[in-house]
Amino acid sequence: MAPEITEEMRQALNQQPDRPLKIEDDQSQKTYLLIPQENFRQWVDAELRRELQIGFDEADAGEVAEWDVESILSTARSSPLAEGH
């Protein structure tokens, strides 16, 4: 069972219907995004395009670095996310 939206959330959603609503959990210090399910795919696609455009713009400006796969893998292996795997 999904939790119900509060009246405060509903009002905030109505004030910005075209953007995800940021919900902050003061206990965990995490931020969550509330977005209508039917808009999720479109929002993810738009975010991906935005991030890719940043990379394209940086490449066009000459802000590139050599692709060092070993360094990337080394960093990934030493990441806290890699622990326990």
Side-chain angles (χ1 to χ4, degrees), residues 36-79:
Q37 184 174 357
E38 64 270 11
N39 296 6
F40 179 75
R41 178 86 182 205
Q42 178 184 353
W43 180 79
V44 169
D45 288 348
E47 285 298 302
L48 179 58
R49 284 188 182 94
R50 185 180 66 78
E51 291 295 323
L52 285 170
Q53 190 60 55
I54 291 170
F56 296 150
D57 292 344
E58 289 174 351
D60 289 345
E63 300 170 12
V64 295
E66 271 306 307
W67 180 268
D68 184 355
V69 175
E70 289 305 318
S71 175
I72 293 168
L73 291 174
S74 176
T75 301
R77 288 184 190 112
S78 64
S79 164

Side-chain angles (χ1 to χ4, degrees), residues 8 10 18 29 39 48 61 78:
E8 178 184 17
R10 188 173 289 111
D18 297 330
Q29 304 302 312
N39 296 6
L48 179 58
S78 64

Side-chain angles (χ1 to χ4, degrees), residues 1 5 14-15 22 28 30 45 56 60 75 77 85:
M1 180 176 156
I5 293 176
N14 289 332
Q15 289 175 0
K22 289 184 179 181
S28 69
K30 291 183 180 181
D45 288 348
F56 296 150
D60 289 345
T75 301
R77 288 184 190 112
H85 291 286

